[in-house]
Amino acid sequence: MSVRTTRTLRLAALAAAVLATTGALAAPAAAQSPARTATDPHAATRAAVDALVHGGTVGVVARTEGPGGSRAWTDTAGVADLRTGRERSAQDRFRIASLTKTFTATVLLQLEAEGRLRLDDHVDDWLPGVVRGHGHDGGRITLRQLLQHTSGVQDYTRDPEFHRQQFTTEFLERRFDSLPARRLVKIAMGHAPAFAPGAKWGYSNTNYVLAGMVVEKVTGRSYESEIERRILRPLGLRATSVPRDEARMPHPSSRAYSKLTDDPAATKKYDVTELNPTFAGAAGGMISSTADLNRFYRALLTGKLLPKQQLKEMKTTVAIDQVPGVRYGLGVFEQKLSCGKTVWGHTGGIHGSVTHAVTTADGRRSVALHLNSDWSGDTGSVVEAELCPRQP
């Protein structure tokens, strides 16, 4: 797994590929990240944002905040629309892909706090017979293992047919198809588990599709409505939505671009803005903004969404062998930056969209950024530049 690229953003690696960008990063090079200065305390961050565009990213929006959302600073670079040259807006909404997992995990942990389920319940307790086939056994897999990616459940996005239909130019003919959660799980069940439950860590979007199904079984309502009712409305996240099968993007937003190939020499760019997000569902289907993401992670980490015990469970992590310096909890990763600071958050990639948001454990510093193209971009460089700038 490369530590330099986020271009292979198939859902099979929504976090894994992007996490590779954020773990074990050296301090940003001086040419791209100048020292913090008295006149421009965000000089390093501004340079890192510009470097993403110079490196081939179409457009970037980044936002940093201090305690309680104070001292907010935003920066944009590149364009929102290759056809018109329209610039990116600091208010842009965009697909957040795997950051959806933090929202899904938060709802499930709220249900545990209410005594409606236990993390050590087995999948079969709530979804009997759903996780079966080719060695999968829902009677041996806990809800905790789903949220922590230690279940061994196969990732449906690794299915060759799914990959061909969703991550090559065939996607252009299928972009509006609806893919219900049970169909996604059925695709995964057509393959052997990646490993025995609890044996190790392995990223699988199927885990969170199943978690969304558990939320629906426990509450009798859709996971979308539970996220809206429990998180979006209480926090006033008006730019954040769970679009179900709505393919259009809300305004304001940028166009999203992908090359729809793994070929590094490819140059043709496709506009992939409109798509039916059901193929990502509770694992990656949401839309948000940089301001809303900073508010969400700050509220989460300062105890406004979860009681102490559930927040402790969320922050109980396991190592990710492939990415030194990064550990995974329940829907969040823990990352140690080059200067020793620790941040919590998530990364995500979906067609034409790369998102990265982190917040310090005390909620006093937050960084969120978005790229509206998916073939290049070291998003971790922006986080490092803002939180670990070189001193003059």
mmCIF file of all heavy atoms in Angstrom, residues 163-175 258-261 268 270 272:
data_model
loop_
_atom_site.group_PDB
_atom_site.id
_atom_site.type_symbol
_atom_site.label_atom_id
_atom_site.label_comp_id
_atom_site.label_asym_id
_atom_site.label_seq_id
_atom_site.Cartn_x
_atom_site.Cartn_y
_atom_site.Cartn_z
ATOM 1 N N HIS A 163 -16.651 -4.335 -9.155
ATOM 2 C CA HIS A 163 -15.596 -3.385 -9.508
ATOM 3 C C HIS A 163 -15.730 -2.925 -10.963
ATOM 4 O O HIS A 163 -15.604 -1.732 -11.260
ATOM 5 C CB HIS A 163 -14.220 -4.020 -9.296
ATOM 6 C CG HIS A 163 -13.096 -3.122 -9.717
ATOM 7 N ND1 HIS A 163 -12.536 -3.166 -10.970
ATOM 8 C CD2 HIS A 163 -12.451 -2.131 -9.054
ATOM 9 C CE1 HIS A 163 -11.592 -2.256 -11.064
ATOM 10 N NE2 HIS A 163 -11.516 -1.616 -9.912
ATOM 11 N N ARG A 164 -15.980 -3.859 -11.851
ATOM 12 C CA ARG A 164 -16.108 -3.492 -13.268
ATOM 13 C C ARG A 164 -17.289 -2.550 -13.482
ATOM 14 O O ARG A 164 -17.188 -1.559 -14.208
ATOM 15 C CB ARG A 164 -16.286 -4.746 -14.117
ATOM 16 C CG ARG A 164 -16.239 -4.470 -15.620
ATOM 17 C CD ARG A 164 -16.662 -5.662 -16.441
ATOM 18 N NE ARG A 164 -18.105 -5.881 -16.384
ATOM 19 C CZ ARG A 164 -18.675 -6.915 -15.784
ATOM 20 N NH1 ARG A 164 -17.944 -7.853 -15.193
ATOM 21 N NH2 ARG A 164 -19.994 -7.020 -15.770
ATOM 22 N N GLN A 165 -18.387 -2.826 -12.797
ATOM 23 C CA GLN A 165 -19.595 -2.029 -13.000
ATOM 24 C C GLN A 165 -19.498 -0.647 -12.362
ATOM 25 O O GLN A 165 -20.091 0.309 -12.867
ATOM 26 C CB GLN A 165 -20.799 -2.777 -12.418
ATOM 27 C CG GLN A 165 -21.143 -4.052 -13.173
ATOM 28 C CD GLN A 165 -22.260 -4.828 -12.502
ATOM 29 O OE1 GLN A 165 -22.667 -4.516 -11.380
ATOM 30 N NE2 GLN A 165 -22.756 -5.854 -13.174
ATOM 31 N N GLN A 166 -18.749 -0.528 -11.265
ATOM 32 C CA GLN A 166 -18.750 0.719 -10.503
ATOM 33 C C GLN A 166 -17.476 1.545 -10.628
ATOM 34 O O GLN A 166 -17.503 2.743 -10.339
ATOM 35 C CB GLN A 166 -19.001 0.414 -9.019
ATOM 36 C CG GLN A 166 -20.347 -0.240 -8.750
ATOM 37 C CD GLN A 166 -21.518 0.660 -9.103
ATOM 38 O OE1 GLN A 166 -21.441 1.885 -9.005
ATOM 39 N NE2 GLN A 166 -22.616 0.060 -9.525
ATOM 40 N N PHE A 167 -16.366 0.938 -11.040
ATOM 41 C CA PHE A 167 -15.095 1.665 -11.009
ATOM 42 C C PHE A 167 -14.357 1.694 -12.336
ATOM 43 O O PHE A 167 -13.167 1.988 -12.375
ATOM 44 C CB PHE A 167 -14.200 1.082 -9.909
ATOM 45 C CG PHE A 167 -14.828 1.176 -8.552
ATOM 46 C CD1 PHE A 167 -15.366 0.055 -7.956
ATOM 47 C CD2 PHE A 167 -14.904 2.384 -7.889
ATOM 48 C CE1 PHE A 167 -15.971 0.130 -6.708
ATOM 49 C CE2 PHE A 167 -15.507 2.470 -6.640
ATOM 50 C CZ PHE A 167 -16.043 1.343 -6.051
ATOM 51 N N THR A 168 -15.053 1.376 -13.397
ATOM 52 C CA THR A 168 -14.531 1.572 -14.742
ATOM 53 C C THR A 168 -15.543 2.442 -15.478
ATOM 54 O O THR A 168 -16.547 2.882 -14.899
ATOM 55 C CB THR A 168 -14.355 0.230 -15.480
ATOM 56 O OG1 THR A 168 -15.649 -0.321 -15.783
ATOM 57 C CG2 THR A 168 -13.564 -0.768 -14.626
ATOM 58 N N THR A 169 -15.317 2.673 -16.755
ATOM 59 C CA THR A 169 -16.245 3.524 -17.504
ATOM 60 C C THR A 169 -17.638 2.918 -17.605
ATOM 61 O O THR A 169 -18.586 3.624 -17.969
ATOM 62 C CB THR A 169 -15.696 3.799 -18.912
ATOM 63 O OG1 THR A 169 -15.392 2.559 -19.563
ATOM 64 C CG2 THR A 169 -14.433 4.667 -18.840
ATOM 65 N N GLU A 170 -17.808 1.640 -17.259
ATOM 66 C CA GLU A 170 -19.141 1.055 -17.222
ATOM 67 C C GLU A 170 -20.020 1.767 -16.193
ATOM 68 O O GLU A 170 -21.250 1.756 -16.291
ATOM 69 C CB GLU A 170 -19.056 -0.441 -16.902
ATOM 70 C CG GLU A 170 -20.363 -1.181 -17.076
ATOM 71 C CD GLU A 170 -20.213 -2.691 -16.945
ATOM 72 O OE1 GLU A 170 -19.124 -3.217 -17.247
ATOM 73 O OE2 GLU A 170 -21.200 -3.346 -16.539
ATOM 74 N N PHE A 171 -19.371 2.379 -15.200
ATOM 75 C CA PHE A 171 -20.109 3.144 -14.197
ATOM 76 C C PHE A 171 -21.007 4.197 -14.834
ATOM 77 O O PHE A 171 -22.101 4.485 -14.340
ATOM 78 C CB PHE A 171 -19.112 3.826 -13.244
ATOM 79 C CG PHE A 171 -19.693 4.958 -12.447
ATOM 80 C CD1 PHE A 171 -20.467 4.713 -11.332
ATOM 81 C CD2 PHE A 171 -19.471 6.280 -12.832
ATOM 82 C CE1 PHE A 171 -21.012 5.763 -10.593
ATOM 83 C CE2 PHE A 171 -20.010 7.331 -12.103
ATOM 84 C CZ PHE A 171 -20.784 7.078 -10.987
ATOM 85 N N LEU A 172 -20.578 4.800 -15.925
ATOM 86 C CA LEU A 172 -21.338 5.871 -16.558
ATOM 87 C C LEU A 172 -22.709 5.398 -17.015
ATOM 88 O O LEU A 172 -23.650 6.194 -17.105
ATOM 89 C CB LEU A 172 -20.549 6.442 -17.733
ATOM 90 C CG LEU A 172 -19.178 7.030 -17.360
ATOM 91 C CD1 LEU A 172 -18.399 7.402 -18.622
ATOM 92 C CD2 LEU A 172 -19.330 8.228 -16.433
ATOM 93 N N GLU A 173 -22.857 4.096 -17.290
ATOM 94 C CA GLU A 173 -24.141 3.533 -17.686
ATOM 95 C C GLU A 173 -24.953 3.080 -16.483
ATOM 96 O O GLU A 173 -26.152 2.848 -16.594
ATOM 97 C CB GLU A 173 -23.923 2.340 -18.617
ATOM 98 C CG GLU A 173 -23.134 2.677 -19.881
ATOM 99 C CD GLU A 173 -22.757 1.432 -20.665
ATOM 100 O OE1 GLU A 173 -23.181 0.323 -20.259
ATOM 101 O OE2 GLU A 173 -22.049 1.564 -21.679
ATOM 102 N N ARG A 174 -24.320 2.943 -15.320
ATOM 103 C CA ARG A 174 -24.978 2.382 -14.142
ATOM 104 C C ARG A 174 -25.067 3.367 -12.983
ATOM 105 O O ARG A 174 -25.504 3.021 -11.895
ATOM 106 C CB ARG A 174 -24.223 1.131 -13.670
ATOM 107 C CG ARG A 174 -24.225 0.001 -14.692
ATOM 108 C CD ARG A 174 -23.401 -1.176 -14.203
ATOM 109 N NE ARG A 174 -23.483 -2.313 -15.081
ATOM 110 C CZ ARG A 174 -24.416 -3.254 -15.027
ATOM 111 N NH1 ARG A 174 -25.369 -3.161 -14.097
ATOM 112 N NH2 ARG A 174 -24.425 -4.270 -15.859
ATOM 113 N N ARG A 175 -24.676 4.598 -13.196
ATOM 114 C CA ARG A 175 -24.534 5.557 -12.108
ATOM 115 C C ARG A 175 -25.830 5.838 -11.362
ATOM 116 O O ARG A 175 -25.794 6.303 -10.219
ATOM 117 C CB ARG A 175 -23.949 6.858 -12.648
ATOM 118 C CG ARG A 175 -24.847 7.579 -13.623
ATOM 119 C CD ARG A 175 -24.109 8.632 -14.443
ATOM 120 N NE ARG A 175 -23.432 9.604 -13.613
ATOM 121 C CZ ARG A 175 -22.506 10.453 -14.078
ATOM 122 N NH1 ARG A 175 -22.154 10.426 -15.359
ATOM 123 N NH2 ARG A 175 -21.950 11.327 -13.261
ATOM 124 N N SER A 258 -13.398 12.025 -12.097
ATOM 125 C CA SER A 258 -12.666 10.776 -11.938
ATOM 126 C C SER A 258 -12.140 10.324 -13.294
ATOM 127 O O SER A 258 -12.707 10.666 -14.343
ATOM 128 C CB SER A 258 -13.580 9.687 -11.360
ATOM 129 O OG SER A 258 -12.887 8.456 -11.228
ATOM 130 N N LYS A 259 -11.059 9.543 -13.289
ATOM 131 C CA LYS A 259 -10.549 8.956 -14.524
ATOM 132 C C LYS A 259 -11.104 7.553 -14.749
ATOM 133 O O LYS A 259 -10.911 6.963 -15.812
ATOM 134 C CB LYS A 259 -9.021 8.940 -14.495
ATOM 135 C CG LYS A 259 -8.419 10.348 -14.464
ATOM 136 C CD LYS A 259 -6.904 10.321 -14.497
ATOM 137 C CE LYS A 259 -6.338 11.737 -14.459
ATOM 138 N NZ LYS A 259 -4.851 11.755 -14.478
ATOM 139 N N LEU A 260 -11.793 7.002 -13.734
ATOM 140 C CA LEU A 260 -12.459 5.702 -13.829
ATOM 141 C C LEU A 260 -11.531 4.615 -14.352
ATOM 142 O O LEU A 260 -11.905 3.766 -15.164
ATOM 143 C CB LEU A 260 -13.711 5.808 -14.712
ATOM 144 C CG LEU A 260 -14.833 6.692 -14.143
ATOM 145 C CD1 LEU A 260 -15.980 6.816 -15.147
ATOM 146 C CD2 LEU A 260 -15.348 6.141 -12.805
ATOM 147 N N THR A 261 -10.311 4.625 -13.862
ATOM 148 C CA THR A 261 -9.342 3.612 -14.238
ATOM 149 C C THR A 261 -8.228 3.589 -13.211
ATOM 150 O O THR A 261 -8.002 4.577 -12.506
ATOM 151 C CB THR A 261 -8.750 3.881 -15.632
ATOM 152 O OG1 THR A 261 -7.775 2.875 -15.951
ATOM 153 C CG2 THR A 261 -8.072 5.247 -15.681
ATOM 154 N N LYS A 268 -7.881 11.210 -19.500
ATOM 155 C CA LYS A 268 -9.274 11.607 -19.691
ATOM 156 C C LYS A 268 -9.983 11.712 -18.357
ATOM 157 O O LYS A 268 -9.897 10.813 -17.516
ATOM 158 C CB LYS A 268 -10.003 10.616 -20.600
ATOM 159 C CG LYS A 268 -11.431 11.059 -20.961
ATOM 160 C CD LYS A 268 -12.052 10.142 -21.980
ATOM 161 C CE LYS A 268 -13.477 10.547 -22.324
ATOM 162 N NZ LYS A 268 -13.540 11.929 -22.854
ATOM 163 N N TYR A 270 -13.644 12.279 -16.327
ATOM 164 C CA TYR A 270 -15.094 12.138 -16.458
ATOM 165 C C TYR A 270 -15.790 12.899 -15.336
ATOM 166 O O TYR A 270 -15.362 12.851 -14.177
ATOM 167 C CB TYR A 270 -15.495 10.658 -16.400
ATOM 168 C CG TYR A 270 -14.932 9.830 -17.524
ATOM 169 C CD1 TYR A 270 -13.717 9.151 -17.363
ATOM 170 C CD2 TYR A 270 -15.603 9.722 -18.736
ATOM 171 C CE1 TYR A 270 -13.192 8.378 -18.385
ATOM 172 C CE2 TYR A 270 -15.083 8.935 -19.776
ATOM 173 C CZ TYR A 270 -13.883 8.277 -19.590
ATOM 174 O OH TYR A 270 -13.363 7.523 -20.619
ATOM 175 N N VAL A 272 -18.363 12.875 -12.752
ATOM 176 C CA VAL A 272 -19.098 11.817 -12.050
ATOM 177 C C VAL A 272 -19.928 12.401 -10.908
ATOM 178 O O VAL A 272 -20.222 11.714 -9.928
ATOM 179 C CB VAL A 272 -18.131 10.733 -11.519
ATOM 180 C CG1 VAL A 272 -17.477 9.987 -12.671
ATOM 181 C CG2 VAL A 272 -17.051 11.351 -10.612
#
